[in-house]
Amino acid sequence: MSTPSLSAQRHCRANPGCRGRRVPGHTACLAHISDAQRATYLAGLAPGDTIDHRGTSFTEQLLSDLLDAFRDPATMEVRLGSAIFESVTFEGDARFDSATFEGAADFGAVTFKGACNFASVTFEARAGFESATFKGDAGFESATFKGDAGFESATFRRDAWFESAAFNGAAWFESVTIDGDACFALATFTNADRFGPLVCAGQVKLSGATFGSPVTLSVVARHLVCRRTRWSSTAEIQLRYATLDFAHAVFEYPLTIAAESDPFLLTDGRQLVEAAFAAAPGPGVRVASLRGVDAAHLVLSDLDLAGCLFVGTVHLDQLRLEGACTFDTAPPGVHWRRRLPVRFTERRILAEEHHWRAGRAGAVQGWNVEVVGAGRAGPIQLAPVYRALRKSFEDSKHEPGAADFYYGEMEMRRHAGDIPRSERGLLTAYWALSGYGLRASRALAWLGAAMLLTIVLLMVFGLARDTPKQTATGTVPAGGGKVTFEIDKDDPANPTGPWFTGERFEKALGVTLNSVVFRSSGQDLTTAGTYIEMASRLTEPVLLGLAVLAIRNRVKR
């Protein structure tokens, strides 16, 4: 709505400092005309009339008297036509609840010194609150904005309540500053194509809200709560500093949630002022929960997922992670459990696993027990989550990330209570020998131990005391003729000592190295040595293969 500037209007003459618009036919504003003149003016107003009281200072009583003049005797409802309150100051509480503005409502640059109440107000045309200052709580619960709603550059010193409000036109909240919380729960945004950028020092609550058209949300806040929020078209959520709760959100089209590293730009090219976050460590965005979300159309970009709850998320295998999305990790370093050293290899790990491990008997320090809302999710629930995330990473050709989630999946399977004991035994052996084919150092350590044991056993039991000699036995026929020889070799004699000599070590090492690559050394061995070599040729190539597999899984792209 375009109105002449206040400086072009005739100001109140009753008070040199008053910039209130004169009441028609008088030389003073509504606040400074005489009581009799005011009574006459108010008596001449009727429901649906247009008023212009810009610059006027309203007490609670004066505002009440003015609104009573627009009350319909038949319905007792307040109905105003076009209403211009530009640059007005409301000294006390301002109560417009249940009123109807049939024309444009202009509250630009208004100062509400007390609480203001626009609950259940119907704005039939455009409602403008540009550059308004709300020093008390601002209540717009169940308000209906049939035209555009303009709150650009408005300042809310306390909480702003828009619960169940309906925005049928554009909803302009660019450069809005909220020092308290902002509640848009159950609000409806029918045609809004953008929301923000705005700054909220507290929590922005969009739980149960509905967005009916493509929209971009740009929010700087401590917390953004979008539980059961519904998007009926494409959407992009741009955040800074926030912790996002996205549990049970519903969206039917692609939706992107991204952390913005640089301050938001306004339409005029200026940067959004973020004074409330001047002392914050960084603009990173954390996701608290994705439970109940269908992730088939979800894209996450540059988000901190260390504390995110995933159990209950649908189609996680189709989730797209872009940029630097980070997860929590296992506690680093060596820990002591039941007087035994325990070392956890660093890997990506879910918040629910942190919570589960922290609650187990004998848990080592470092597991995060303060995971909000983790509940009682255990290995049975976590295994399919890890499996789905593994597939998501595999589809994006991120093999190292997929390997971490494969490790988590196998860990949950090993600890789950619904598998047979034999299967748990196999998984435990697979874990102990090579970390499920992902820990090369563990497989190499076992390979080294197996080779050392083979060498020792061969030197003690396997190598013959002396090299067996061959003998040839033949019989010469009495009448001469062909001589037939039988060549035989003595059985290797068991060693009697000394066992540990350089020569015996060299022979044992040769046999062991050939066993690693599944080859026969051709060395003369005792009966025990033959079985030792057979066992070596069976186990050591497997351990070498596990080590090679682990290295490949870590470097493959």
Side-chain angles (χ1 to χ4, degrees):
M1 180 178 62
S2 177
T3 59
S5 64
L6 187 59
S7 61
Q9 308 303 316
R10 295 193 301 167
H11 297 166
C12 175
R13 290 185 178 179
N15 188 330
C18 178
R19 297 177 58 83
R21 171 69 181 265
R22 297 180 191 178
V23 175
H26 299 277
T27 61
C29 69
L30 187 61
H32 293 114
I33 60 176
S34 66
D35 292 344
Q37 292 172 331
R38 184 183 303 114
T40 301
Y41 167 72
L42 295 177
L45 297 176
D49 281 354
T50 295
I51 56 172
D52 184 350
H53 291 293
R54 69 189 72 188
T56 303
S57 180
F58 280 86
T59 63
E60 290 186 39
Q61 186 59 52
L62 179 58
L63 177 61
S64 178
D65 293 341
L66 176 64
L67 296 180
D68 283 341
F70 292 95
R71 196 174 301 278
D72 190 330
T75 62
M76 299 306 294
E77 296 179 355
V78 175
R79 292 190 297 107
L80 298 89
S82 294
I84 303 176
F85 289 96
E86 182 185 350
S87 300
V88 160
T89 298
F90 293 97
E91 299 292 342
D93 293 346
R95 298 185 59 88
F96 289 87
D97 46 307
S98 300
T100 298
F101 290 85
E102 297 177 344
D106 185 357
F107 288 85
V110 164
T111 299
F112 296 93
K113 290 188 175 181
C116 69
N117 188 350
F118 287 86
S120 300
V121 168
T122 300
F123 296 95
E124 299 284 350
R126 189 184 189 280
F129 291 84
E130 298 87 348
S131 301
T133 301
F134 301 83
K135 294 187 176 180
D137 289 340
F140 290 85
E141 299 94 330
S142 299
T144 299
F145 298 87
K146 293 186 177 181
D148 293 346
F151 287 86
E152 299 100 315
S153 301
T155 301
F156 296 83
R157 296 301 183 192
R158 299 184 66 179
D159 296 339
W161 295 90
F162 290 86
E163 186 173 0
S164 299
F167 298 89
N168 295 335
W172 303 104
F173 284 87
E174 182 178 77
S175 194
V176 166
T177 300
I178 305 169
D179 293 342
D181 294 334
C183 180
F184 293 86
L186 302 176
T188 302
F189 298 85
T190 304
N191 294 303
D193 62 347
R194 61 178 173 141
F195 180 82
L198 61 80
V199 177
C200 180
Q203 171 182 269
V204 176
K205 188 172 184 180
L206 287 168
S207 296
T210 301
F211 292 87
S213 61
V215 64
T216 299
L217 288 80
S218 304
V219 177
V220 181
R222 302 288 180 190
H223 300 275
L224 176 62
V225 183
C226 294
R227 286 179 169 265
R228 295 180 176 84
T229 307
R230 178 182 292 272
W231 283 268
S232 298
S233 188
T234 57
E236 181 178 7
I237 303 175
Q238 303 169 342
L239 301 174
R240 284 172 58 81
Y241 297 100
T243 296
L244 172 64
D245 185 349
F246 213 64
H248 304 285
V250 179
F251 43 95
E252 305 168 11
Y253 296 89
L255 185 146
T256 300
I257 304 173
E260 297 294 322
S261 58
D262 298 322
F264 293 115
L265 293 179
L266 305 177
T267 53
D268 60 4
R270 295 180 297 114
Q271 285 188 347
L272 179 67
V273 177
E274 304 173 344
F277 296 87
V285 177
R286 297 150 298 281
V287 181
S289 178
L290 289 175
R291 285 186 170 180
V293 171
D294 187 339
H297 301 292
L298 183 60
V299 180
L300 305 180
S301 178
D302 297 320
L303 300 178
D304 181 355
L305 301 173
C308 183
L309 305 181
F310 284 96
V311 173
T313 306
V314 182
H315 293 143
L316 263 177
D317 57 322
Q318 300 179 44
L319 174 68
R320 286 180 54 192
L321 301 178
E322 298 183 350
C325 287
T326 58
F327 290 82
D328 207 344
T329 59
V334 178
H335 306 268
W336 291 89
R337 183 170 61 192
R338 299 186 181 95
R339 298 182 180 180
L340 295 175
V342 178
R343 180 180 178 272
F344 295 98
T345 305
E346 184 176 346
R347 63 179 172 94
R348 294 171 180 84
I349 194 171
L350 299 183
E352 286 105 332
E353 183 178 346
H354 261 277
H355 188 269
W356 170 72
R357 288 189 180 274
R360 299 182 69 203
V364 302
Q365 294 183 350
W367 296 108
N368 183 11
V369 72
E370 298 178 358
V371 180
V372 179
R376 296 184 176 274
I380 296 177
Q381 294 79 22
L382 286 172
V385 176
Y386 273 116
R387 187 179 305 116
L389 287 173
R390 171 177 61 84
K391 186 177 184 303
S392 174
F393 271 67
E394 288 174 346
D395 291 343
S396 63
K397 308 302 180 183
H398 192 328
E399 295 297 334
D404 282 347
F405 288 121
Y406 173 73
Y407 192 101
E409 175 191 353
M410 298 299 287
E411 276 288 271
M412 295 303 100
R413 285 182 57 193
R414 182 167 69 92
H415 290 286
D418 63 341
I419 64 172
R421 184 174 299 180
S422 58
E423 182 179 345
R424 180 178 291 108
L426 289 174
L427 290 175
T428 300
Y430 193 23
W431 162 77
L433 291 176
S434 64
Y436 310 112
L438 295 172
R439 300 294 182 257
S441 58
R442 193 177 304 180
L444 290 174
W446 279 109
L447 176 60
M451 291 176 65
L452 179 61
L453 178 62
T454 300
I455 291 173
V456 172
L457 292 177
L458 286 174
M459 293 175 69
V460 175
F461 303 106
L463 296 177
R465 180 178 58 192
D466 298 308
T467 302
K469 306 221 182 327
Q470 291 183 335
T471 56
T473 305
T475 304
V476 179
K482 184 177 180 181
V483 179
T484 302
F485 290 93
E486 292 183 359
I487 301 176
D488 197 5
K489 190 176 184 180
D490 297 338
D491 292 333
N494 291 326
T496 57
W499 298 320
F500 302 104
T501 64
E503 181 182 359
R504 292 179 66 80
F505 173 79
E506 184 177 351
K507 292 180 179 180
L509 179 61
V511 173
T512 303
L513 292 177
N514 278 281
S515 296
V516 171
V517 294
F518 208 72
R519 291 179 55 190
S520 176
S521 64
Q523 178 69 43
D524 294 314
L525 301 174
T526 64
T527 302
T530 301
Y531 286 106
I532 293 172
E533 184 186 35
M534 291 171 58
S536 175
R537 291 178 63 187
L538 177 65
T539 58
E540 291 169 7
V542 172
L543 293 173
L544 178 61
L546 290 174
V548 173
L549 176 64
I551 294 174
R552 178 181 179 275
N553 286 333
R554 283 301 175 183
V555 301
K556 180 182 177 183
R557 289 289 179 181

